[in-house]
Amino acid sequence: MTKLSVRHLLGIKNLNENDIQTILETATQFKEIINRPIKKVPSLRDITIANVFFENSTRTRLSFELAEKRLSADVVNFSASGSSVKKGETLLDTVNNILAMKVDMIVMRHSSPGAPHYLSSRIPANVVNAGDGTHEHPTQALLDAFSMREKIGDLTGKKIAIIGDITHSRVALSNIFCLQKLGAEVMVCGPSTLIPKYLGDLGVRIGHDVREALQWCDVANVLRIQLERQQIKYFPSLREYSLYFGINKDMLDELNKDIVLMHPGPINRGVELSSDAADSKHSIILDQVENGVAVRMAVLYLLAQQ
């Protein structure tokens, strides 16, 4: 297996196409392993990994923890809500205290964009960004690309629509970088208030009609409305958002082709996706969750070789 060109996974922007292909190919091998009766391999037996989460998480945290345990690493879980952070301890002091206990790798989620980058320049351990504010979520983009490739093959020339709250989504930016590096065409679709003005500079199409986006794309990656990050009202009501930008099964059935439906979770059923759409034959949402473990195993394994 080839090595990565980076010591840390801070964002897709820092990876080249070869890095992405290496991670996806390694993940294919790990997916085969996690579907065996005995799912563990001793690849990271002497490595200690700390999951340092300053924000709430279900899928990402469980997925990383499972990936680490499947690789036989020793795992330490840290949650800011019950820690000395509440007493005023800084991010750097918190992490240095964890590293003093001989931890080799940090998986971090933080509400401030750039927090993993700040940390990686000040500590000797490898850092994996598990989401930094509204900036990037690299492992989500990698597992999305892995899931798409598994379903529709090589992504060169494929059309991917990212639909929903683009402004507040870290998944959107990482997906755009990843998909473009793999040769796909990318479109973002949503209310104009939820699409950043600069996004056109990244070479993506911009649309505001969900039906047009669905007709154009091979894959629709639907994002939730991130109300917890919104300081002002970006649209009148969830009901109105659902009416104009929600996707239901009837809309999918009306298309003259089959498309793939994705969602990074958690789903707000009845807002961006109806239950019949989320559970339809078009949906690979649960495949994304399964693939997340294999992709994160690949990332941890490859970084540990650096």
Side-chain angles (χ1 to χ4, degrees):
M1 271 178 258
T2 27
K3 286 194 168 186
L4 298 180
S5 64
V6 292
R7 275 197 69 241
H8 312 281
L9 181 61
L10 303 176
I12 301 294
K13 194 175 183 181
N14 306 95
L15 300 180
N16 57 44
E17 189 196 342
N18 188 51
D19 290 331
I20 295 170
Q21 297 287 7
T22 300
I23 292 168
L24 298 183
E25 283 159 21
T26 309
T28 304
Q29 297 172 44
F30 280 125
K31 183 165 184 185
E32 187 263 315
I33 288 168
I34 62 173
N35 281 296
R36 293 177 188 168
I38 297 170
K39 298 172 176 63
K40 266 192 147 181
V41 286
S43 309
L44 299 188
R45 193 170 48 198
D46 300 323
I47 302 287
T48 304
I49 303 173
N51 297 317
V52 182
F53 278 64
F54 292 86
E55 272 192 324
N56 295 336
S57 171
T58 305
R59 270 159 310 283
T60 304
R61 186 168 183 162
L62 284 175
S63 186
F64 266 112
E65 191 174 343
L66 205 51
E68 290 149 9
K69 288 178 175 175
R70 294 275 186 260
L71 291 165
S72 305
D74 294 318
V75 181
V76 180
N77 285 312
F78 169 91
S79 174
S81 57
S83 73
S84 294
V85 171
K86 292 292 180 189
K87 301 174 187 175
E89 187 173 61
T90 66
L91 167 64
L92 195 55
D93 282 342
T94 299
V95 174
N96 276 328
N97 275 282
I98 294 168
L99 291 180
M101 301 173 204
K102 307 303 176 208
V103 169
D104 304 292
M105 199 180 291
I106 300 284
V107 175
M108 186 172 82
R109 169 167 287 188
H110 202 283
S111 57
S112 299
H117 303 69
Y118 167 80
L119 206 59
S120 67
S121 63
R122 286 164 175 80
I123 64 170
N126 303 95
V127 177
V128 179
N129 179 5
D132 59 331
T134 56
H135 181 224
E136 278 217 53
H137 191 352
T139 57
Q140 182 67 47
L142 290 165
L143 75 89
D144 286 348
F146 183 88
S147 303
M148 288 178 209
R149 216 161 73 155
E150 202 173 51
K151 191 75 178 173
I152 61 172
D154 183 23
L155 297 183
T156 307
K158 295 292 194 296
K159 296 175 177 178
I160 318 296
I162 303 171
I163 300 168
D165 183 354
I166 311 297
T167 296
H168 301 96
S169 172
R170 49 185 163 223
V171 175
L173 193 58
S174 286
N175 258 280
I176 290 166
F177 288 144
C178 187
L179 293 166
Q180 287 181 334
K181 286 179 182 185
L182 292 172
E185 286 184 60
V186 183
M187 175 188 206
V188 296
C189 177
S192 52
T193 51
L194 290 176
I195 295 179
K197 288 192 176 76
Y198 69 84
L199 215 58
D201 298 342
L202 295 180
V204 301
R205 286 171 171 249
I206 294 174
H208 305 291
D209 186 316
V210 171
R211 289 175 190 275
E212 278 181 19
L214 293 175
Q215 191 59 58
W216 174 82
C217 72
D218 299 305
V219 179
N221 198 352
V222 186
L223 308 177
R224 73 183 174 89
I225 296 297
Q226 306 211 11
L227 293 172
E228 74 276 12
R229 297 188 193 281
Q230 297 181 10
Q231 308 300 320
I232 59 171
K233 267 186 119 52
Y234 288 86
F235 47 85
S237 67
L238 285 177
R239 183 170 174 271
E240 186 159 323
Y241 178 87
S242 179
L243 196 64
Y244 286 97
F245 295 97
I247 296 171
N248 57 49
K249 191 164 182 296
D250 290 342
M251 291 166 71
L252 299 173
D253 291 341
E254 283 168 17
L255 300 174
N256 56 15
K257 59 178 183 176
D258 273 347
I259 66 164
V260 177
L261 194 62
M262 302 174 68
H263 195 300
I267 305 170
N268 290 324
R269 287 176 183 260
V271 181
E272 70 269 12
L273 273 181
S274 67
S275 284
D276 57 2
D279 302 329
S280 69
K281 63 180 174 66
H282 301 276
S283 167
I284 59 165
I285 294 168
L286 292 178
D287 294 340
Q288 288 174 263
V289 179
E290 181 187 348
N291 292 336
V293 178
V295 167
R296 289 174 176 121
M297 284 173 78
V299 166
L300 297 167
Y301 172 78
L302 290 164
L303 287 178
Q305 314 307 310
Q306 297 296 84

